[in-house]
Amino acid sequence: MDITIKELAEELDLTKQAIRQHLKTMPSNLQTKKDGNTILLPPEVVAYIIERTHKKRKPQDDTSTKALIQQITEKDRQIQRLQQLLDQQQKLTLQSNNRAEQLEKELKKIELHESEDVSEVILPLKNPKMSQKRKNRASGANYSVHAKMSV
């Protein structure tokens, strides 16, 4: 079945001009047909053009494919390395957070212990058996406050 230059160009993803260039270089035993202004390509001409375009494209396609495979492989390695770094960072962050919690607990224990020590010092001061000197200071302070208020 004969096809047009346009149909073959679309099928091979080439331009019509590229197909015409191949027609100019085809052997003389291959012939095209004409239907009005339309050039028709018989199956043997189509096979010739396909063979020529694949020969030209194949090495380039192989090279492109190999290059793409190398790029993908390299990207996979980079992703794996980044994943390892992310895992390490998460572990370090977890360790750091655990250490911070541990230090906060120790600090609370120390503060609690210190407040108990302060309570032991403050409680005797609140004892009713305060020294007379402290009582005088306390009552004098109250008196001076009352005196200022009454003036």
Side-chain angles (χ1 to χ4, degrees):
M1 183 166 130
D2 298 341
I3 62 171
T4 65
I5 292 175
K6 181 180 178 182
E7 291 170 341
L8 183 60
E10 288 174 357
E11 188 175 317
L12 297 178
D13 196 29
L14 296 172
T15 63
K16 292 187 289 185
Q17 291 80 8
I19 300 295
R20 284 193 179 100
Q21 285 295 86
H22 288 292
L23 292 176
K24 287 180 185 177
T25 61
M26 75 177 175
S28 58
N29 63 333
L30 297 175
Q31 296 293 319
T32 61
K33 298 177 184 173
K34 203 161 189 183
D35 182 20
N37 289 335
T38 306
I39 298 174
L40 298 174
L41 308 174
E44 53 275 354
V45 173
V46 171
Y48 168 78
I49 293 172
I50 289 172
E51 181 182 329
R52 293 212 16 137
T53 57
H54 283 307
K55 282 182 181 176
K56 286 184 178 181
R57 284 185 171 192
K58 190 164 183 143
Q60 183 183 17
D61 287 346
D62 286 346
T63 306
S64 298
T65 304
K66 287 178 183 175
L68 289 173
I69 289 171
Q70 283 179 329
Q71 288 177 357
I72 290 171
T73 304
E74 181 61 29
K75 295 296 177 194
D76 285 345
R77 277 191 235 123
Q78 289 174 354
I79 289 170
Q80 184 178 11
R81 179 70 179 136
L82 288 173
Q83 186 64 45
Q84 288 173 344
L85 291 172
L86 180 62
D87 289 346
Q88 288 175 351
Q89 182 62 40
Q90 288 174 341
K91 288 176 184 176
L92 290 173
T93 301
L94 182 62
Q95 289 174 351
S96 202
N97 288 344
N98 288 341
R99 181 68 178 142
E101 286 178 17
Q102 181 184 6
L103 290 173
E104 286 176 3
K105 288 177 183 176
E106 289 178 18
L107 181 62
K108 285 179 183 178
K109 285 179 184 177
I110 291 170
E111 288 173 348
L112 181 62
H113 187 70
E114 286 178 355
S115 68
E116 288 174 356
D117 290 346
V118 170
S119 296
E120 291 174 4
V121 172
I122 293 175
L123 287 176
L125 294 176
K126 292 184 178 179
N127 192 339
K129 296 181 182 178
M130 273 197 274
S131 69
Q132 188 61 36
K133 199 174 185 181
R134 285 188 188 139
K135 285 183 182 177
N136 289 341
R137 275 192 224 148
S139 64
N142 287 338
Y143 176 74
S144 64
V145 170
H146 290 295
K148 286 181 183 177
M149 291 169 88
S150 62
V151 173

